[in-house]
Amino acid sequence: MIAVALHIAAGAVALALLLNGWRLLRGPALGDRIVALDTMVINVIALIVLVGMIGGDDIYFEAALLLAMVGFVSTIAYCKFVLRGDIVE
Amino acid sequence: MTILADIAVTGLLLLGASFVLIGSWGLVRLPSTMERLHGPTKATTLGLGALLLASVIYFRAELGVWTAHELLIALFLFITAPISANMIAKVHLHRLRVGAIHEPDSIAGAPPRPSEDSDWATFEAPARDTPAATANT
Amino acid sequence: MTVAAALPALTCLPFVAAVALLGIRHAGRGAHLALAGGASAAGLAMLLYRAPAVLAGATQTFRLTWIPKLGLDLSLWLDPLALLFAGLILGIGLLVVIYAAGYLAAGEATARFLSFLMLFQGAMIGIALSNNVLLMLIFWELTSVASFLLIGFWRDRADARQGARMALTVTGGGGLALIAGMVMLGKVAGSYELATILTRGEIVRASPLYPVILVTILLGAFTKSAQFPFHFWLPHAMAAPTPVSAYLHSATMVKAGVFLLARLWPVLAGTGLWVGIVTSVGLATMVLGAAVALFRHDLKAILAYSTISQLGLMVMLLGFGTNAAVVAALFHLLNHAAFKAALFMHAGIVDHETGTRDHRRLGGLAALMPLTATLGVLAAAAMAGLPPLGGFISKEMMLEQSTHAMLGGRTLLVPALATLAASLSAAYSLRYAIALHAGARRTGEAAAPHDPGAALLAPPAILAALALGLGLAPMALAGRLVATASAVVTGGALPELHLALWHGVSAALLMSVGAVAAALALLRCHRPVAAAVARWPAPDAKRLFDAAMEAIVTALRRASTALHVAALQRYLLVLFAVALLLGLDAAARAGVLAGGAATTPASAVDVVAWAALVIATAAVIAVDRRRYLALLFVSVIGLIMALAFVRLSAPDLALTQIAVEVVTILLLLLALHLLPGNPPRLSSVPRRLRDAAVAIASGAGAGWLAWAVMTRPVRAGISRYHWENSYSGGGGTNVVNVILVDFRAFDTLGEIIVLGIAGLATFALLEPAARGVAGRRLRAWRSQDRHSPERHPMMFVMATRLLLPLALLVGLYLFLRGHNQPGGGFVAALVFSIAILLQYLASGFDWTDERRRFGEHRLIGLGVLTAVATGMGSLLFGAPFLSSSFGYAHLPLIGEVELATAMLFDLGVALVVVGAVMMALAQLSHVAQRAARQAEEEA
Amino acid sequence: MTLLDHLLVAPVVVPAATAPAAMLAARRRPLAGPYLSLGGCIVGLVAAVLLFGRVQDDAIRAYAVGGWPAPFGIVLVLDRLAAAMLLLSAVLATMVLVHALVTGADRRGWHFHPLFHFQLMGLNGAFLTGDLFNLFVFFEVLLIASYGLMLHGQGALRLKAGVAYVVVNIVGSALFLVAMGLLYGLTATLNMADLARRVAALGSADQGLLRVAALLLMTVFALKAAVVPLHLWLPRTYAAAMPLVAALFAIMTKVGVYAMIRVVPLILGERAGAAAWVPAPYLLPAAILGAVVGFVGVLVARGLREQAAFALIASTGTLLMAVARWSEATLAAGIYYMVQATLAGAALFLVADVTLRRRGSYGDALASSPRFAGQDAAALLYLTAAIACVGLPPLAGFVGKLLILESSFMLPGWQAIWATILATTLLGVVGFARAGSTLFWKAAPEGTSPISGPPRARREFAAPVVLLVLLAAMSVGAGWVTTQTRGAARQLMAPERYVAAVLGAPAR
Amino acid sequence: MRWLLPHPALSAMLLIVWLLLANSLTVGGLLLGAVLALVLPKFTQPFWPARPRMRFGRTFVAYLAIVLWDVVVANFQVAWLILFRRNRDLRSRWLVVPIDLATPEAITILAGTISLTPGTVSADVSADGRHLLVHALDVGDPAAEVTRIKTRYEARLRRVFA
Amino acid sequence: MSLEFLVASAVAVLVAGGVYLALRGRTFQVVLGLTLLSYAVNLFLFATGRLIVDRPPLFVEGVTEHADPLPQALVLTAIVITFGMTALTVILSLRSFLESGSDQVDGRADDEGAA
Ligand code: NA
Ligand code: NA
């Protein structure tokens, strides 16, 4: 049961990833694209967790942890670039 | 593994995945940037939260180990997600103000001014001694 | 002095003098002249001391092993031929030095001049004495160099520079051909030792390579001896100071070709090919040179062309291939050296005294400078082949030999042309002597020219006397020498030699008389003929040569410039194309086959991730000029890469990929800010199509290679050992980490140094960017976009306050567990860096920078030192560099703790990474502000 | 292990420690950096001399870094060729460093000394390593250090040239990784000795992939060596760099050649089956083109540095003609030529440096200028360096060319080799003669303003003079030197000795 | 004590995070965690010089619980809106929330809470720090929503940051 | 569809994209091209150890099936080196632009046009 659920979940998250990709390609506003990318990061975290569960190995959680911790840095930087041009002032 | 854990894990997985998917679906179908921002910041937090919880239970029940990293993942997401949303909203406000985007279908339209003698920080640099300015001292 | 030491001493003496002259260049010119003259005299003395023994048949040899692998030994010998040539070089050399004492004006760089002259002398002695053909080549090329330097001595004169270059080009080129010929000769003969080669003529002449050997060697000889059609450089070499002309371009260097032909005569001569080429070239040169000489007006030009002609004579004689002709050639070699050197010196005196070398502006010198005139007339008579001078005898011999010669089956051709040449040379010689000395004075200077001092006068006088002596007492002066030398050349017994003015009435005498008569007739009608000749569109060799050189250089320059356009795109295109073509060629030859190993099924998620990657890549290209968007899509690719590493069992790689991605994006955004916005497209459609084709082909190739590798069955390799010894030998369970910090720590040391250098280099690039042009541009730079006034968004700032300690904690955690679980110094350091960079992002550069504890330089330096010192530590225990050790300590309360030196190494890694990353990003983020501040300071 | 055994890592470790130490020291006391730097350089030189002495017993020594046995860890291997290259790089580095200190060039930008020593470390590591990936790493070290050095002193032109140089080499590095990946995929090893064994054991189905890997690897080496047509990046890069830096770079192109010489006989030699000597047919035409393009460049160059850069391309082409025949004698000739060409190229760059520093605003353009201080000495040095580069007697270039001619006689393609060497020598002679007579002899037209500038010390001539004296010594001592190069070539052409030295007993 | 422990709450948090990271409860881990919990705040103190006073009492716990609950509810609400509400029926609004909190820490927590909970995102703070700009995805009565935010979250936070 | 095919085709796409961008005329595009190329190369190098799912190279006694750790270590080294090179390239091209005013790879001014 769990195995099926895991694969369904992974499929759903993958689908979500595609939807993010569509928004990223489509835009139209810069904000939309940044949201899409930020959401992609979160979805990739979900996928990493699911891959870990499917493999029965918690070894990948550090990757998810790291992504949760630093993934937003690029989002912020992209935003700051639009807002200020200079991301470090 | 107990049936209970089995059901809990399955349920949490499906729930979490659904929320993740719905959040991303919202990103696709909602009408303008500010609305789209709601999808990811909320749906995905719970979505991911549920998946993480499923993982905790799963590893405990399946492999007999307590994994706590899921909690940390959630913690970091709870800290960072509002910041991302805030910054993206600022981008939106800024682009709207400088006329870089025209969104007739944006339901909320342009934001109202906070008060007579002040504007939003994105449009007006915070004055000295305000909380926004003292943050950086 | 022992025999063994005499030959090298003889050879080295001039070189030593050359160097010594440069050493004492600040001393007076007297010292210079004394040194050079002393060296020549000493050499001559040494030679004369050895001469009797040599003439008696005792060839002296010296041999010192030099390069056995090459067959090149310092092998010298002194046989009669060498003695003849070396005597010439040293004798005339001594006279030239004396002459130069009078010739060179005060203020000329005598030291430099004489040094070059001595360099030349040494090279010539080397040619004469070499008993190894490779050794001879060395000296041969050196004479070209010395000649170049001497012709160009008056370096401010354009004709000197051009003449020097032309001489070097022609004789140097011939020298290169000679190299080929000599090496082949040595290879075919089985030795480079001349003495050995000379005994193997049969083998050489039988070799299929003989024609090539002959032609290449002749090229060397002909260019050096100014044979037609390579003769044209010699007249232009007259731009050299006259002592040089006398020495190099009449008496010695140009004779090196003749000497070489004589040297190799036993090996190369005797074939139809030899006779055909050598005779006809010599003959042509002789006639042509004489004809041209007749119509020149510049004294030195007349002498130069006459030299060409006389060299042709000697070459022709050697070409005949008969022993008697060889005797004639060698005797003429001596004669010519004497009278031609004298004539050059004479011309120099005339030039010196009258200030002109133009034949037409000179006359009546006999009255003004009788001594000079006497020796000039004497030498000219020798050149004209008039009795009772030596020139007469050798000319007679030449004419006599010509009657025996056949060329192309014609018996009369050679004697007829030889007589023509003889009459022409008599004509120009007489013209030289008469026009100069007879008649009225034509120069208009106030001060009358007069006989110069002894230094200028004595050397040509001695030479003229010699020219006379060679006619009056040839057997006494040169009989033995010429006979023994000829015997060496022909490789036979001593010839019966009768050098005398009178041989009775012979064909040669008749020809000779006829020639002189014709010469007188020619001179009588010289003026109209000269006028006719002057109207002739004679080809000017210099202009042709220069034009040809310029055309060649221009064409080559155009080609080279077109090829070496400074275009990165071309460099890359060529690189891709080469790789592609080589790959295709290899595949076409051997077939790059896919293997048969089982593949791993992909899940739907895999396909989705793959699609995301492909689409993102396509998007990067599609939006490539909207850089910001392109960057967003690059982020997607990075994300998928991390996901792929997770999926494919590479947790360490996933961690690294995630962290590096963030830092890279920050870096690119920082740079993007300072780049101009919305650049126009640069390349045309065809160009883009071409690039796309190359790109697609490269991609397909790389993809196929990847497929071919992955579908091959796995081979047991070295990583099995890593797996098995990771824990037991390296003390860690994370095999990747143990490889990095232990098995292959040496790689990692290099890797962090790369990073450290990147840090230092970026600092070196950015530190000065605030100044100068870059600084001005930075100050003038304004973003085209309108920006929000808010610098430090509050929520972000507050979040970073909390995230800094948290991130540092996570970083430490990753660092500490890296040896056993995914993590390690590199990722940890990236996390540290990102944590600090977050502060920069949120709170700005100044705020953060003043709170930082460690400078990047120190981090990088200490990091590298830590890693190196850790590696060195093991040397103390006698173990190899970078040997690790680990142990488990049992601490109270805490329990078992692993201590590994690899951790210390990893600490070094982390320090460098933090330092380098911070250096690059912090410096970059700060550059614009510093430029602004610099402006304030300057204001 | 004795201390003498550990000496083998010194060429890598000494500069690796000197670089950061010099940097840290310089930040406290500006003079300490250069002194430390020079000290480190001299220690390196001593080590190189000692190592050169060690290989005289003809033994090949392996040093297992970290104590891990080959092929599992990284080994450094010292054979005659490696020792010779180490010595060469140490000598060259010392002279360049002395020149830098004498002329003050090290103060013209940031971090000269650390970059210099890291560069040295990269070079020495590349010469010593017996591991393919480690070779890549050291390539990267020496490249990135060279980027830094190339930009030393900066200026717009240098920066522009720098971008192209860096990018092209990064792509080259990517290609290196692909080639190495292929080899690893085929053999599952990185150790070069182990590769030699395993490549020999590959089946016929793997030959195509092996060929591709080999040729891609050679492409990378050829790019580093500036083999035509992959040389395009070099002229502008070297001409734009400070001449003193370019002088050090003279050895960088030779690293590419070294890598070929190291890898081909060992891994792609006789035993490699169908892939034996795979690069050979491509290398000879490329080498011939290289000599032609290089010497044509010497003839048509407009500046001294550009001319020197083309001279390097020419020398690489010339020596590759010998190498491309892969026989013991030609290889020995090639090695001799390589060593002397490195010194000669460096000397030419240093002469260019001395000249252009004294010519003020006239720079190194091959045009007349007013007379400048020390012109005669510079002219003499230029003449000597040109003689060395073009291969005229009495310097070592001539011996080198003779060796190549003599060793290639009657080998396939020898006529082409001979014709090229002799014809291009003439091109070179004409080119240098034109350039030198214009630059040092021709006086500037009347009315040209005289050269102004600070007086230059005569000790600036020291480094180029020493290099030229070394070239003369290489010629005088050619008997001994050729014994050395022949010994090195013999070791190279007997790869089983190398394999045995690294892996122990022959394959089971 | 304040010298040693500039941010006691932060130290506690770090210790907990460390234990979660280590994923085990050993004496050694605890000791190391404690050391880090002491050292890191000290080390990073220059970056967070302010010492916000917070009370981690019952109010704080209650606040956390409420937020957690609201997050869950909000997710369902937003999911519903996304799935079933037509775009043209969406009552998307800007809300201007006047705030009484004074410290940036407190305002940030409030803004973060708003972003994590029902259909609202904190978009901006006013330059004078007195107002919060909130975007609501679907809200019928803006005033009521503002009041809800102020009473449910801000009031509690004021007590925490008293 | 196999993982091997996906990886191989991903390598192909990345190489194609990287080569195309590297051949463009502006420094930023070239940097992007190099980035894509380095992704491709890393993936390629990684793939030479073959693709193994769910068997990370963390030593466990008795386990014989695991991902090849060596290519992973090599890729890690390559990633680090690539980062250093990228940083240098970016900063160098920026500095070159600041010095010459042109962001073309060969420093030509925009009005000079493309070669
Ligand atoms: Na070790
Ligand atoms: Na900045």
Side-chain angles (χ1 to χ4, degrees), chain C residues 729-730 741-745 880-885 901, chain D residues 65-68:
Chain C
V741 299
D742 206 336
F743 293 116
R744 299 184 68 88
F881 183 67
L882 276 175
S883 294
S884 69
S885 71
T901 55
Chain D
V65 181
W68 299 105

Side-chain angles (χ1 to χ4, degrees), chain C residues 595-627:
Chain C
T599 55
T600 320
S603 70
V605 178
D606 298 330
V607 177
V608 167
W610 172 85
L613 183 133
V614 171
I615 294 169
T617 309
V620 171
I621 293 165
V623 301
D624 64 342
R625 283 174 310 131
R626 290 148 78 193
R627 297 153 170 173

Side-chain angles (χ1 to χ4, degrees), chain C residues 627 661 683 687 691 733 777, chain F residues 3 24 39 59 98 103 115:
Chain C
R627 297 153 170 173
E661 190 70 21
S683 29
R687 189 180 183 119
D691 293 347
T733 54
R777 218 181 289 276
Chain F
L3 274 180
R24 299 301 89 210
Y39 283 138
F59 178 73
L98 290 175
D103 72 331

